[in-house]
């Protein structure tokens, strides 16, 4: 996440204030470093675009949260205790009409957007055995990625 933040600060997120609140005791995540970098670059880029040129704040946080379990095909149950959040204070939030289809291909509000960023994020997270959720109201949007830990 620190690498992604530095890439963002030196490029598309200039002028955005970053706040990092990381749990230093988290266990490792089994997965592709490059793909996870892509996930968080996409989420941070969307957050920076939601904030706009006036500047704002993106909060990156990690936490350990017991209790979330996912039943995968075949009946196996997976714990998803690793929580990574990207929160922005963009003024509009995600409109109601987009919420049900936000992770579908070609859904976008950006004039030059392809609508493939969030579907790619969802696929990578799913391929890593995790899930992604979001919550949005005007002035606060949070994308939360929950991943399994290495056993």
């Amino acid at each position: 996440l620190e690498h992604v933040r530095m890439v963002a600060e030196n490029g598309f997120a200039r002028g955005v204030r970053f706040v990092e609140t990381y749990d230093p005791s988290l266990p490792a995540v089994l997965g592709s470093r490059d793909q996870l970098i892509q996930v968080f670059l996409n989420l941070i880029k969307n957050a920076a675009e939601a904030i706009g040129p006036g500047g704002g704040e993106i909060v990156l946080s990690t936490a350990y949260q017991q209790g979330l379990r996912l039943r995968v095909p075949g009946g196996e149950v997976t714990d998803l205790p690793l929580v990574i959040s990207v929160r922005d204070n963009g003024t509009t939030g995600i409109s109601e009409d987009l919420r049900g289809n936000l992770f579908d291909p070609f859904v976008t509000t950006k004039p030059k957007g392809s609508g493939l960023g969030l579907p790619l994020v969802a696929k990578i997270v799913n391929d890593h055995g995790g899930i992604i959720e979001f919550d949005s109201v005007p002035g606060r949007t949070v994308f939360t990625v929950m991943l399994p830990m290495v056993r």
Side-chain angles (χ1 to χ4, degrees):
L1 286 174
E2 290 174 6
H3 169 74
V4 172
R5 178 196 44 84
M6 288 188 303
V7 168
E9 281 180 327
N10 290 311
F12 57 82
R14 282 196 174 113
V16 173
R17 179 174 172 260
F18 281 87
V19 176
E20 297 169 292
T21 56
Y22 300 141
D23 181 340
S25 66
L26 290 182
V29 173
L30 183 62
S32 166
R33 182 178 192 272
D34 291 339
Q35 288 183 342
L36 292 172
I37 286 172
Q38 183 66 56
V39 163
F40 295 108
L41 272 175
N42 281 4
L43 293 176
I44 292 170
K45 185 173 186 292
N46 286 350
E49 290 172 353
I51 290 169
E57 181 178 272
I58 295 175
V59 178
L60 305 175
S61 63
T62 62
Y64 185 88
Q65 175 182 305
Q66 280 189 304
L68 183 61
R69 305 181 103 194
L70 176 68
R71 184 172 305 279
V72 294
E76 185 179 328
V77 175
T78 302
D79 290 315
L80 300 174
L82 305 180
V83 179
I84 306 102
S85 298
V86 176
R87 184 178 79 214
D88 69 68
N89 62 351
T91 57
T92 60
I94 298 169
S95 66
E96 280 295 325
D97 59 327
L98 285 181
R99 291 174 189 241
N101 302 16
L102 195 61
F103 296 107
D104 293 345
F106 311 114
V107 174
T108 184
T109 59
K110 300 175 189 172
K112 294 185 180 182
S114 66
L116 296 175
L118 287 176
L120 177 62
V121 163
K123 181 186 182 330
I124 292 171
V125 170
N126 185 53
D127 289 350
H128 281 78
I131 59 175
I132 183 168
E133 299 177 339
F134 69 93
D135 182 49
S136 184
V137 295
R140 185 188 62 78
T141 297
V142 182
F143 280 84
T144 304
V145 175
M146 289 154 277
L147 295 170
M149 65 181 186
V150 175
R151 298 240 180 252

